[in-house]
Amino acid sequence: MTQEERQQIIEVINSEMNKLSQKIEELREFTAPVSPDDAIGRISRMDAINNKSITEASLRNLQTRLDQLQKISQVVNDKDFGLCVKCHKPIAFERLKIRPEIRLCAGCLQR
C-alpha cells in the first residue's frame, strides 16, 4: 500500500468516525425510557416501546462499528495494515476504502 493510499484510508476512517459519532448522538435522544404516565394511549405506547428497541439495536450496531474504526485507526500505519489476517495477501484498496476495519480479503471471507 502506498503512502497516498494509506492517507486516503485515514481520511475515510476519520470521516466515518465523525459521521457515526453524530448519528449515535442523534439516536441517543430517541432511546429515553417511555414513561407509563404519557397520555399517548396503550397502542401508541407499545409502538413507542417497539421503536425504542429498534433504535437501541441500531445504536449498538453503530457503536460497534465506531469501536472497530477507533481500533483500526491505531494500527493503520503498521506495516501489516491492509493485509488479510488469514492468508496475509493484500486486501483490495477499494474494499478498504469502503470498510477500512475489514481484516479479511474477499477470498478468505467467503471460505
Side-chain angles (χ1 to χ4, degrees):
M1 177 179 295
T2 68
Q3 190 59 33
E4 182 180 314
E5 290 173 333
R6 194 173 301 272
Q7 189 58 41
Q8 286 180 25
I9 297 296
I10 291 170
E11 290 172 10
V12 167
I13 291 170
N14 290 334
S15 173
E16 285 298 309
M17 287 193 313
N18 287 333
K19 288 178 192 174
L20 288 170
S21 295
Q22 289 174 352
K23 187 68 175 169
I24 287 169
E25 288 305 313
E26 291 172 13
L27 287 178
R28 282 197 176 130
E29 296 174 17
F30 297 108
T31 59
V34 178
S35 173
D37 300 355
D38 288 347
I40 58 177
R42 189 173 137 245
I43 301 298
S44 296
R45 185 169 185 280
M46 289 170 54
D47 285 342
I49 291 169
N50 186 43
N51 289 341
K52 179 180 176 287
S53 66
I54 292 170
T55 301
E56 286 172 342
S58 295
L59 186 59
R60 282 190 303 272
N61 290 338
L62 292 174
Q63 187 63 55
T64 298
R65 180 140 193 257
L66 180 60
D67 292 344
Q68 291 171 342
L69 286 170
Q70 288 171 337
K71 287 178 187 174
I72 210 69
S73 71
Q74 296 171 359
V75 298
V76 74
N77 288 314
D78 292 357
K79 64 180 174 103
D80 60 345
F81 174 78
L83 298 178
C84 177
V85 294
K86 193 171 183 181
C87 71
H88 305 289
K89 292 181 182 175
I91 299 171
F93 176 67
E94 294 300 318
R95 183 174 170 83
L96 285 172
K97 279 177 47 178
I98 294 169
R99 296 292 291 211
E101 70 275 17
I102 200 84
R103 302 300 298 214
L104 296 172
C105 66
C108 289
L109 188 62
Q110 292 177 355
R111 291 183 207 146

